[in-house]
Amino acid sequence: MRPEVVSVGPSASSMEIVGEEIVDPPRPSPPSSSSTPPTPTTFILETEPQPQQQHQTSGFFARIRSSVMESLEKRKLGGVRVEYTEIPSSELEHEEQGVETVNGEPASCSKCGQPSSRHGRGGQRKKGLWKSWGLQLRVTVLGVGLLALILLLNLLSAIKDSLIGARHNDYDPFVNWGQPNTGTEDLSWYPTDFLRDVIPLPCHSHNDYWRRVPLFDALYAGCTGVEADVWLFNNDLLVGHDLASLQVNRTFQSLYVNPIVDILEKQNPKTPYYNGTLNGVFDVDPAQTLVLLIDLKTSGHETWPHVLRQLDPLRERGWLSFYEDGEFRSRPVTVVGTGNTPFDLILTPPYPTTTTTTAKYSNPTSPPDRDAFFDAPLDKLLTDSPYNSSNSYYASVSFFRSIGITQWWKGGEPTAGQLAKIRGHLAAAKERGLVSRYWELPAWPIHVRNKIWEVLVGEGMGMLNVDDLKGATSEDWRRIRTWRRILRLF
């Protein structure tokens, strides 16, 4: 049998274990004629050839040999012999450089044919550099892609603004509003071409008096409904959200009645070519009525008669919508009472009976049934209630109290129960010929607000109650635009 060989190189980097199996020394056994002597295990210690003595080395290799010999002595391996082989110095140099050798010569590369020394540690370094450059290339491509996406989204947004938000540009017709020598000191001036490109939209300007220019900001955005909170003090009607905001010059007539009269007079000029009176405030759609929602904050029975009297400039010119002979007749302005407005005074209004105030109606000898209407409770239309198109125009309720909080963690999407309730409200209002409206809609987060707007308009909401005019009128809430679908992918 051939003895097993263990080869030990001259250094830590060139030591090579040829065989790792060490055979334990055979135990003594009774002599037998058929037994054969055990095969000895041979250890070969490979060293660099010395110039003078082949088996005598010094320094590091001598310590290796001594260590091996001591190990063998301790294990007392019987029949063990140790052989020493010489390794050429050229082969050791290649081994130290990480180069494969064949018979002491550096091996050649199977791909390029060049010595493998060129593919040693330098090749590993090149491979590492290639990995680093590859990572940098991928990061660069990713960064360029993200930059291109941002530029594309900005371009789409600019196109959107240019197409549907043209009137929300840098041009501001109210920049000098209220300044001396501008014609706006009496709060009723507006440029004659002010509404020439404004498209009327079914949105209601909630708390309109809070805007920088009440009434005109809403009209310029395209809203067809405005709201004024009215307080009765010293036989005059002041407009404001609370008592602290009231001022003697901010009255119902100065902020709303007189400006509307001025607009309608310019829309209905007396010329040799036109002598009409029924053009509304919007040039694009002259038949569109403007809803003037009046929210009474003081006693209804005391305040409402003052409201009707201050509406006389509009009534005398025939510009108030009215109900007569079982039919609603639309005019440029439709007045709706809410808040503390008493329903019984809507049914039996204390109209003036002078010829001047009744001459513009179909029956000049008597006033119509009413030329102001009630804001009916939207959540009570499913029951037996007296509200219909003969006495009411709006049908409103608080969204928060009637529908509740939507699932903001799911983007504001109403639940199935909430959606069913919304559909029930809108169907009941439509059946009675009323314009449905929810107030106290969620205003934040913006994506929740937008989702609610989208759902309400999609379900057929009659009038969208808004505080953010630009946000409401710069979108088509009847469908999801392409750019919004793109944004949802990220």
Side-chain angles (χ1 to χ4, degrees), residues 14-35:
S14 62
M15 292 176 63
E16 179 180 5
I17 305 299
V18 179
E20 295 181 354
E21 182 178 358
I22 298 178
V23 180
D24 292 332
R27 298 180 180 178
S29 58
S32 174
S33 60
S34 62
S35 62

Side-chain angles (χ1 to χ4, degrees), residues 154-173:
N154 288 336
L155 178 61
L156 293 176
S157 179
I159 295 174
K160 174 185 74 71
D161 291 340
S162 63
L163 293 178
I164 62 177
R167 62 178 177 270
H168 299 296
N169 50 27
D170 294 336
Y171 171 70
D172 186 357

Side-chain angles (χ1 to χ4, degrees), residues 421-448:
K421 187 177 292 187
I422 291 172
R423 289 172 176 172
H425 288 167
L426 303 188
K430 185 177 181 180
E431 183 179 355
R432 293 173 181 257
L434 304 179
V435 178
S436 55
R437 181 181 71 99
Y438 284 114
W439 52 277
E440 205 171 16
L441 292 170
W444 190 89
I446 298 299
H447 73 279
V448 173

Side-chain angles (χ1 to χ4, degrees), residues 422-473:
I422 291 172
R423 289 172 176 172
H425 288 167
L426 303 188
K430 185 177 181 180
E431 183 179 355
R432 293 173 181 257
L434 304 179
V435 178
S436 55
R437 181 181 71 99
Y438 284 114
W439 52 277
E440 205 171 16
L441 292 170
W444 190 89
I446 298 299
H447 73 279
V448 173
R449 181 204 68 180
N450 291 351
K451 184 61 180 180
I452 296 299
W453 285 357
E454 180 184 312
V455 170
L456 293 180
V457 174
E459 294 296 331
M461 192 84 218
M463 189 74 81
L464 187 64
N465 194 84
V466 300
D467 292 290
D468 182 2
L469 295 179
K470 184 176 180 179
T473 59

Side-chain angles (χ1 to χ4, degrees), residues 83-121:
E83 297 180 359
Y84 299 89
T85 61
E86 298 180 358
I87 299 178
S89 58
S90 59
E91 186 171 343
L92 289 177
E93 292 178 358
H94 290 305
E95 288 185 4
E96 291 177 358
Q97 296 176 1
V99 180
E100 297 179 359
T101 59
V102 177
N103 297 326
E105 297 295 332
S108 61
C109 178
S110 60
K111 294 183 179 180
C112 64
Q114 297 181 355
S116 298
S117 59
R118 299 190 180 182
H119 302 290
R121 298 180 181 178

Side-chain angles (χ1 to χ4, degrees), residues 271-285:
T271 70
Y273 314 103
Y274 180 81
N275 193 28
T277 60
L278 299 182
N279 282 343
V281 298
F282 296 101
D283 287 330
V284 176
D285 186 4

Side-chain angles (χ1 to χ4, degrees), residues 286-446:
Q288 174 64 52
T289 189
L290 172 66
V291 180
L292 179 57
L293 182 65
I294 305 171
D295 188 351
L296 301 191
K297 295 300 184 181
T298 49
S299 172
H301 285 84
E302 295 179 6
T303 308
W304 188 246
H306 287 79
V307 171
L308 295 179
R309 281 194 292 270
Q310 292 200 9
L311 290 172
D312 275 349
L314 294 169
R315 183 180 294 111
E316 292 170 357
R317 293 167 173 81
W319 288 335
L320 294 181
S321 300
F322 60 95
Y323 185 83
E324 184 181 56
D325 298 332
E327 183 180 356
F328 174 82
R329 302 181 187 273
S330 180
R331 292 296 185 266
V333 180
T334 300
V335 176
V336 179
T338 189
N340 291 332
T341 301
F343 184 61
D344 60 316
L345 292 187
I346 294 291
L347 298 177
T348 58
Y351 285 129
T353 57
T354 63
T355 304
T356 303
T357 58
T358 61
K360 297 296 181 178
Y361 297 112
S362 58
N363 185 359
T365 60
S366 64
D369 294 341
R370 62 193 55 87
D371 60 5
F373 300 86
F374 193 63
D375 184 15
L378 180 59
D379 57 339
K380 295 183 180 179
L381 299 183
L382 296 174
T383 61
D384 186 14
S385 59
Y387 311 109
N388 52 54
S389 60
S390 68
N391 53 50
S392 303
Y393 186 84
Y394 271 168
S396 308
V397 71
S398 166
F399 185 89
F400 177 75
R401 292 203 295 264
S402 62
I403 304 301
I405 300 176
T406 58
Q407 304 173 100
W408 59 266
W409 57 93
K410 292 185 179 181
E413 187 77 31
T415 64
Q418 290 174 328
L419 188 58
K421 187 177 292 187
I422 291 172
R423 289 172 176 172
H425 288 167
L426 303 188
K430 185 177 181 180
E431 183 179 355
R432 293 173 181 257
L434 304 179
V435 178
S436 55
R437 181 181 71 99
Y438 284 114
W439 52 277
E440 205 171 16
L441 292 170
W444 190 89
I446 298 299

